[in-house]
Structures are given as C-alpha cells and as structure tokens.
Amino acid sequence: MPPIVDQDKDTLLAVLAQAGLTDISQIQPLANGLSNHNYHIETPTAHYVLRENANAADSFCSREQELFYWRHLAKAKLAPELLWVSGDQRYYLSQFIFAQSLPSLPIASQFAPLMEDIEGREELVIEKRIAASGIDTLEQPEVPRKPSMASLYQDLSLQDLSLQYVAWKDLEYQCSAATFCQGETHIEAWLQSHADIKLAADPLAWYQSEQLVLLDSLTPNRVHSLLLQLLQQLRVQATGPYHISITEQWQEYHGQLLAFAAADKGEAWQNRLTQLLCIQTQIQGWAAILADCLVEPQFCHRDLNPHNLLLKDNRLYCIDFEYATTSHPLCELAVVLATHQLTPAQRHLLVRQYLAGHPGLTSGAIKAIPAAIEMYWVFAVYWALLMAAHTQGERQQEYFEWFDHFWPLISHTS
C-alpha cells in the first residue's frame, strides 16, 4: 500500500485524538475493502484498527444495524472488540487481531496422482456397467481389484511433503454455480465407484463413515472445517430486530437501480444496467427456489469472503458487518462456497455437514445451493453498479471493472 499523505495523516490523528489515542507510534494502511478504508494503528502499548466508512456504502446499510451485530458478535468472541464510534458513524476503532497463517499442502502437484486414480476408477465403473447390461458383446477385460482408500493415502507419501503457510485472505477464489455443480458431479461419481460406501438412513452416520473420514483427511488444509465451525457458531446467534429475505434484497437493489436510471448516468452505466435487466426472469426463478426451501431465517453475516475473516488460535473471527441481518441460511453457505479456494471434496463435505439437521431448511435444500451461489453473484453485480452510480471518474471506472469481473460468474451470461 502507498504511504498516507500528510493531509490524510493529520485528519486521522485528529480522529484518533477524539477516540482518546494521542501517543501514536505508527499509522499503516491495511488492504482496503471495496467500500471502506482501514488503518493499523500502533501505540507503545497496544494495536488497533481504524476504519473509515465510504459515503457511497451508506445506501447499502444501516450503521445502527451494523453496529448492533458487530457488538453482539464481539460479545460472542466471533469478532474483534469494537472500542469507539465517531458521532457521525464515519469512523470505527476496534481491537487489532494478529492473524495467523494456515498450514496447507500443495494441491495441484501432490494430489494429481489421487485424482488420476479417481478418474481411472470412474472408467472401470463404466466398463462394468456396460458388461452387466449385455449391450456390448465384446469380451470385457478383467477389472482389477480396487485398492483401498487407506492404501491410496499411504501411496501419496504425505510425510515427504513440505507444508506451505497461507494467509486466509490469499484463499480468495471465484466459484460460480456451474463450477460448483461440476465439482459435485465429479465427487459423486467417485463416491459411487466405491461399492463399500452405502447410504445410511441417517445422513450423519454416513458422513461419519471411514471412507468419508479418509476423504476429509486427504484435503490439503482445514479450510472447510474452520468454515463449518464458524458457520455453526453464527447460525445460533440471536437474530435481533432486523430481517430481509433474498427476494426483498433483490427488489430493494433493483428499485435503487431504476431510480438512478431516471437520471443520466452515462452510456457505460446504462449498458450494464441493460445487461442486468435481461436476466430478471432468471433472477426471479433463483429467488423462488430459495424461498421454497426456507423453514426459518437465521442470523447471517452475508459477506464471509476471505478478506472479512481472520484466523487466530485455530478459529475464525469476522469483520465488516455492513450486510449482517436475519436472512436465508443458504446465504452464509453460498458466500463461502463462492469466494474461497476449496477443492470439490472440501465443498462436498462442507455442504453436507452444514445442511445435516439444519432446522431452518427443508430436507431438499441441497438442490437450492446453485441458486444461492447465483444470487450471491447477482447481488455482487447490483452492488458494483449501485456503487458506480454514486461515484465518478477513476473510482466509477473501478466499479465498472468489478461489474465486468462478476458478470461472467452468473449463469446464462456471455
């Protein structure tokens, strides 16, 4: 990050003085959020984060609502402590958490032998099915005995691998609904290729079976387990007085866009609005799918991307509560699936473990996950276009670029 200029420093020092901090050793810009600016503040005895809220983001969130949930989650030890808020709610001072890195095995090179073996077994399963059907009268080759998962695990020689350490923010990844579905197809085919895996009447019992425990142990890191732990902790938090459904959120964003459309926001802005208007029928369908699987809403952070999570002492803490509210339980799951670098196996495990016995969702909610991921990216393009409507010049162009980046992640777009 470039150093802050003297004028900015003087402003920040004045704000910090209001917060009761005067003996400042250092002010260091942190990686900016897409809407706000954050600074690491150091004194001789402590470390803090000062956040400066962007004016444009005020149209997306209620600061009272944001602060309500931040304070609530801080009491639950799921967020940094909020220490001070300026009278105009433009600046927040909070505890600084020294985030730790995540130990991880290399994915591509070290797990390629396993993936090749999985693909080879899928071909064997197909051959066996052809032979059983009697359609192909040619002599079928003998199918070799399938090795156990335990032997596969040993063959990887994991003891010879060196661990990498990854900052949580570096797990950022964009997963579309189509990519998620492709991964699910691959994992399901692999599971079906193992005749010794039987679906029990109780899904929990099945996912505690030896085979899936081994599948979990073959993942390159514990990202999915840490995310699951956080999601399970968040879903039992008090909902508070705030609530919005996915359909209501879509309608609210859409109404704001149409209001801006009445003004002249320029050709570049209008062209992107036209793109968005062309998929309204699909958006309506995704929202309806999600409404159909909802039993009861829960507390949702709604922006659990890697930049809003901090790892310390083997647990995750949340930051940035601008979008926190009571909403659809699949909102939370969709965000982490859409924004984190997870293997297909990790997504598979995370989905089933999150949904197992979830009181707020129907038994068929798993079929709605692609729609939930679609709506996450739909809201992302709405956000980008609305932010562009509030800004001009280079900053506006930056939001146009975000729109163009998110747009291909939505299905049925070019």
Side-chain angles (χ1 to χ4, degrees), residues 118-164:
I118 290 172
E119 292 169 359
R121 280 190 227 174
E122 290 173 3
E123 293 176 0
L124 291 177
V125 169
I126 293 172
E127 290 175 2
K128 290 178 71 175
R129 288 176 180 170
I130 292 174
S133 69
I135 295 174
D136 188 350
T137 58
L138 296 177
E139 182 179 354
Q140 299 295 323
E142 181 180 354
V143 179
R145 188 170 182 267
K146 179 177 62 182
S148 68
M149 283 292 294
S151 66
L152 280 175
Y153 185 66
Q154 293 169 357
D155 289 345
L156 286 173
S157 302
L158 295 181
Q159 67 270 19
D160 297 331
L161 300 180
S162 58
L163 287 176
Q164 299 174 344

Side-chain angles (χ1 to χ4, degrees), residues 20-42:
L21 298 181
T22 54
D23 191 7
I24 308 299
S25 304
Q26 180 175 275
I27 300 177
Q28 180 64 39
L30 296 170
N32 287 337
L34 298 182
S35 304
N36 310 301
H37 300 281
N38 298 278
Y39 304 90
H40 178 192
I41 310 300
E42 184 178 353

Side-chain angles (χ1 to χ4, degrees), residues 178-360:
T179 298
F180 169 79
C181 291
Q182 289 169 1
E184 281 289 285
T185 299
H186 185 87
I187 293 299
E188 290 289 355
W190 178 77
L191 289 174
Q192 290 172 14
S193 73
H194 291 71
D196 53 336
I197 293 181
K198 303 294 184 182
L199 277 173
D202 180 0
L204 278 176
W206 182 52
Y207 278 92
Q208 291 169 355
S209 65
E210 178 187 357
Q211 289 77 14
L212 289 183
V213 169
L214 284 170
L215 178 63
D216 180 74
S217 70
L218 284 170
T219 58
N221 51 46
R222 312 313 300 156
V223 172
H224 60 298
S225 297
L226 290 164
L227 287 170
L228 176 65
Q229 179 187 50
L230 176 64
L231 291 175
Q232 290 175 331
Q233 291 171 320
L234 290 176
R235 87 180 191 193
V236 299
Q237 299 304 311
T239 55
Y242 307 100
H243 173 270
I244 192 168
S245 70
I246 289 177
T247 298
E248 289 168 340
Q249 184 71 82
W250 164 46
Q251 292 172 341
E252 180 180 308
Y253 282 173
H254 196 67
Q256 291 181 36
L257 274 186
L258 293 181
F260 280 116
D264 183 10
K265 290 296 176 180
E267 183 178 0
W269 191 89
Q270 189 63 47
N271 287 342
R272 288 170 174 82
L273 174 61
T274 300
Q275 287 180 255
L276 193 48
L277 293 177
C278 288
I279 64 167
Q280 292 303 300
T281 300
Q282 291 154 352
I283 295 173
Q284 185 177 12
W286 294 325
I289 290 171
L290 290 165
D292 286 344
C293 72
L294 177 65
V295 173
E296 185 179 8
Q298 67 171 51
F299 165 76
C300 294
H301 180 283
R302 296 202 303 167
D303 198 16
L304 295 174
N305 70 73
H307 293 277
N308 286 337
L309 295 175
L310 303 171
L311 177 65
K312 183 180 181 182
D313 298 332
N314 206 33
R315 61 179 297 179
L316 291 171
Y317 294 81
C318 309
I319 61 173
D320 195 348
F321 295 90
E322 285 185 321
Y323 305 101
T325 190
T326 304
S327 194
H328 200 297
L330 288 186
C331 286
E332 295 293 78
L333 184 60
V335 176
V336 299
L337 292 172
T339 63
H340 280 78
Q341 186 181 50
L342 298 166
T343 66
Q346 286 176 309
R347 295 190 199 109
H348 186 90
L349 290 165
L350 178 57
V351 165
R352 271 86 185 159
Q353 291 166 339
Y354 178 79
L355 295 181
H358 197 300

